[in-house]
Amino acid sequence: MIRLYDYILSAEGYKVRLLMSMLGLTYEPVKVDVHPGRMHRDPAFLAINPLGTLPVLEDGEVCLRDAQAILVYLAARHDASRAWLPAGPEDAGRVAMWLAFAGHEMAPLLRLRMADIQAAPVPGRDGVEAASRHALGLLEDHVFEGELHGRRWLVGDRPTIADVAVFPGVALMADCGLPVEDYPALWRWVHAFKRLPGFIVMPGILPPDLADALAA
């Protein structure tokens, strides 16, 4: 049985929950109370992940931290079709590029969001917001250019773990006060992603039909 150490408000954990749902995998969730409990800093959890970060996945003898690494493992281990992690070197390289983008360029946005929902200060907030807007702008340009050429997804002609890795930060941008109307192509991509089989929600992300009704 796969075991996932997770926090319900974690966008990083949500990436993993999304892919497991889309792959039809069952797993044992282990709730880690980050706020206010700070269970991720308890010695028992640090024995599992010395970095004290979430999510952490255990699958038999395998224990992995970092959402992007976990996405790669799940797609390689549990998707025989290789749809979510393309085998071709060009597309595999592009997927890896967007996974790195999700882990690095999107990090300021996710840090800003988590601080805001916990009412915590953000040192250098203006710079963090600027970095978040820059990342969203790069994504907006890429998705819009893809639309011009008939492509809906970040890599190739079907969704991959690149889309899964980037989706939560984009879909949750309103949590930190960033205006979704500034990124129309990204919002169209979000709506398309929400209609994928196996899509699930988290706090702050509405199901597609309800989101459409509220926007009407």
Side-chain angles (χ1 to χ4, degrees):
M1 172 67 74
I2 298 172
R3 180 180 294 117
L4 178 66
Y5 296 83
D6 190 15
Y7 175 51
I8 187 61
L9 296 180
S10 167
E12 295 290 295
Y14 176 52
K15 300 175 185 183
V16 178
R17 299 195 300 271
L18 264 175
L19 183 61
M20 288 201 286
S21 178
M22 290 171 168
L23 290 173
L25 299 176
T26 58
Y27 67 97
E28 175 190 349
V30 181
K31 298 179 181 179
V32 180
D33 181 10
V34 171
H35 180 76
R38 295 186 60 80
M39 288 176 59
H40 60 306
R41 295 300 180 186
D42 286 351
F45 183 75
L46 292 175
I48 298 168
N49 176 13
L51 296 183
T53 56
L54 292 168
V56 173
L57 181 134
E58 292 179 340
D59 188 7
E61 298 298 315
V62 175
C63 181
L64 293 172
R65 61 176 180 256
D66 183 81
Q68 282 62 240
I70 295 170
L71 294 180
V72 170
Y73 170 78
L74 290 173
R77 178 75 179 265
H78 296 285
D79 177 24
S81 71
R82 293 304 298 266
W84 290 99
L85 180 60
E90 295 87 357
D91 281 350
R94 294 186 183 103
V95 167
M97 179 181 71
W98 285 110
L99 292 179
F101 184 92
H104 187 266
E105 277 76 13
M106 297 292 287
L109 189 155
L110 297 182
R111 180 158 63 93
L112 187 66
R113 169 189 168 265
M114 190 58 73
D116 281 1
I117 63 178
Q118 294 177 356
V122 181
R125 185 181 182 98
D126 289 347
V128 176
E129 286 189 359
S132 301
R133 291 176 183 274
H134 180 65
L136 291 170
L138 292 174
L139 273 169
E140 172 75 12
D141 291 345
H142 178 76
V143 172
F144 181 68
E145 182 180 358
E147 288 179 337
L148 294 178
H149 294 87
R151 297 191 304 269
R152 173 173 289 180
W153 308 108
L154 296 184
V155 177
D157 58 0
R158 61 188 304 166
T160 66
I161 56 173
D163 299 277
V164 177
V166 170
F167 174 80
V170 175
L172 290 164
M173 72 171 82
D175 279 0
C176 46
L178 297 178
V180 298
E181 59 270 16
D182 287 355
Y183 309 98
L186 273 182
W187 216 240
R188 291 190 292 272
W189 170 79
V190 164
H191 284 298
F193 188 94
K194 286 182 175 183
R195 284 167 172 76
L196 293 174
F199 176 78
I200 56 173
V201 300
M202 70 165 284
I205 297 181
L206 298 174
D209 293 340
L210 181 56
D212 290 347
L214 293 175

